[in-house]
């Protein structure tokens, strides 16, 4: 169960924003193995001066950054995360974002940190989450 | 000490947005036991196409999602969290949100992850937080 | 590698918003020891009724809150964090923000929770981050 925040420039047209959101989601499905329907995303367009970034920190060339902040249930192996970053960048490149402009942050939280609606904590009942080894105790 | 982000559709009128924020806060007070005055919330209205969600993942019916993202000091027992989700959904239902549209994410952080103003880390000084067993070491 | 979200009132003029962002960044550089070019910030202006806060919880006087939410690689000692809060408040006071209005939340994540562009997980390769003792295992 991921929640994805995407903050990008309002100069990117709505169709591109949607394609970016699609690309991030597809990467999560392909890298982490979440179900395709496990999609929850918040897109926030910003005036260009609201997105502040260094144009070449860590030898990455940035011009028009796309911030992707993912909250995800804990437990995925490092290889899956690294694959996720590669896939997000690759998918976004396909829709016209420079690879250097794809900035991703991943924060992990607990299995009991989620309610997907109806006041229930669905993951606690499931006790098993795609991409993790198996059940998680708390 | 929670910080609450609420992202919802701008088609919900301002009075309803406020009632939603009130309902989330009341649930935190009643479930977790934080003081009523421990209220810090950021409400962000969005154009409908900026809030992306699956309409029935995990058998929940969603039409007009309200994202509630809570950052909270670590240490509350699972039962309190589950009660929190039930209360948020119940309170929001009272003000006209469908229970299925209430999506909650909870991320816990450290006692020394908070400054409530004046450059101080108030929780470190208090060393005790409502709803946790007792003092937390670090 | 921090990601900083700053949510503030849109009544604060753009030059002041920028000065606030500058002040938060300078505090991170001075307190934590990150490189000056390690700057990634998202500023979101809000209508005043979207920022909800208690005017005096924990004996802090608040009138026009500035929410600063920092995501940072885990591992900094508490003294560095406390120094960070003091410096943020001091720097923001210099540009016209009341010290009581500076609300900071810090959430720590893993070394492999970052991609600064190009689909790479740069911190995993570096295996060492400013302000932490030394290498981090996972």
């Amino acid at each position: 169960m991921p929640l994805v925040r995407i903050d990008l420039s309002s100069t990117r047209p709505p169709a591109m924003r949607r394609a970016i959101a699609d690309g991030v989601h597809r990467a999560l499905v392909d890298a982490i193995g979440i179900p395709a329907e496990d999609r929850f995303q918040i897109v926030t367009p910003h005036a260009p001066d609201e997105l502040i970034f260094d144009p070449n920190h860590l030898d990455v060339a940035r011009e028009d950054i796309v911030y992707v902040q993912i909250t995800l249930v804990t437990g995925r192996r490092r290889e899956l995360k690294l694959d996720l970053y590669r896939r997000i960048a690759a998918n976004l490149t396909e829709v016209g974002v420079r690879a250097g402009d794809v900035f991703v942050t991943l924060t992990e939280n607990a299995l009991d940190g989620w309610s997907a609606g109806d006041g229930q904590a669905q993951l606690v009942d499931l006790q098993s989450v795609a991409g993790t080894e198996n059940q998680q105790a708390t």
Side-chain angles (χ1 to χ4, degrees), chain A residues 16-68:
Chain A
M16 188 184 197
R17 298 177 204 169
R18 179 70 192 204
I20 289 171
D22 289 348
V24 171
H25 184 62
R26 192 153 39 88
L28 277 161
V29 171
D30 292 343
I32 304 289
I34 62 168
E37 64 272 20
D38 187 359
R39 181 169 182 178
F40 300 96
Q41 299 178 309
I42 299 166
V43 180
T44 307
H46 289 267
D49 66 352
E50 296 169 13
L51 299 177
I52 299 173
F53 59 94
D54 187 88
N56 44 42
H57 181 51
L58 296 174
D59 292 319
V60 174
R62 300 179 195 88
E63 294 183 35
D64 186 7
I65 205 161
V66 175
Y67 283 112
V68 179

Side-chain angles (χ1 to χ4, degrees), chain A residues 62-103:
Chain A
R62 300 179 195 88
E63 294 183 35
D64 186 7
I65 205 161
V66 175
Y67 283 112
V68 179
Q69 189 166 22
I70 302 171
T71 305
L72 185 68
V73 176
T74 193
R76 273 76 179 193
R77 283 175 296 115
R78 174 168 287 180
E79 305 90 272
L80 298 188
K81 298 177 192 174
L82 303 199
D83 187 42
L84 174 64
Y85 306 142
R86 284 188 292 264
R87 287 178 185 268
I88 292 175
N91 291 351
L92 268 54
T93 301
E94 284 178 20
V95 300
V97 179
R98 291 172 209 84
D101 283 325
V102 181
F103 190 102

Side-chain angles (χ1 to χ4, degrees), chain A residues 112-134:
Chain A
D112 62 8
W114 297 86
S115 173
D118 288 338
Q120 299 303 304
Q122 287 85 356
L123 299 187
V124 171
D125 301 327
L126 292 173
Q127 282 286 28
S128 148
V129 174
T132 60
E133 296 308 319
N134 42 37

